[in-house]
Amino acid sequence: AGREPLLDGLFPGQTPEQRPFLFPGKSYFFLSARVHPGETPAQWMWEGLMDFLLLLADPRARALRRGYVFKVVPIINPDGVARGHYRADTQGLNLNRFYDSP
């Protein structure tokens, strides 16, 4: 199976062999939480969804895993969460405004 391409500047020193596998024919589902550290309910929702997706015996969870590749980021702003900022990272930036040009 092939691998996802390297992303310039994202993981310096990463080799092609370290990239995730490709899953042809599957759609991707990106799930993240806590871009704003004060959004604690999102963390509980994220954890509940992960618990559900990992249920081995649930036919709904199995169907979702068969149909999708899940890319998960539990805390997209860990420095802001750890330091108690409400909407910003440690540089005072609201990350919702800097996705295209960080």
Side-chain angles (χ1 to χ4, degrees):
R3 302 248 182 190
E4 291 182 4
L6 290 171
L7 302 173
D8 290 338
L10 185 58
F11 299 108
Q14 188 177 52
T15 66
E17 296 78 29
Q18 294 173 305
R19 295 294 298 150
F21 287 105
L22 290 171
F23 296 90
K26 283 190 173 186
S27 295
Y28 285 80
F29 188 97
F30 181 80
L31 177 66
S32 68
R34 302 295 292 272
V35 66
H36 295 127
E39 297 167 346
T40 53
Q43 189 72 34
W44 293 110
M45 189 296 243
W46 187 94
E47 185 176 341
L49 181 56
M50 292 304 303
D51 288 345
F52 169 73
L53 289 173
L54 295 172
L55 291 173
L56 298 178
D58 192 298
R60 300 166 301 169
R62 282 197 315 266
L64 287 169
R65 291 191 307 266
R66 274 194 305 270
Y68 296 91
V69 173
F70 289 89
K71 301 282 186 168
V72 295
V73 181
I75 301 176
I76 207 163
N77 182 5
D79 53 346
V81 171
R83 295 186 177 183
H85 297 290
Y86 187 73
R87 294 192 64 83
D89 65 3
T90 55
Q91 297 177 19
L93 302 174
N94 179 346
L95 298 182
N96 273 348
R97 307 292 180 250
F98 293 94
Y99 285 129
D100 290 337
S101 301

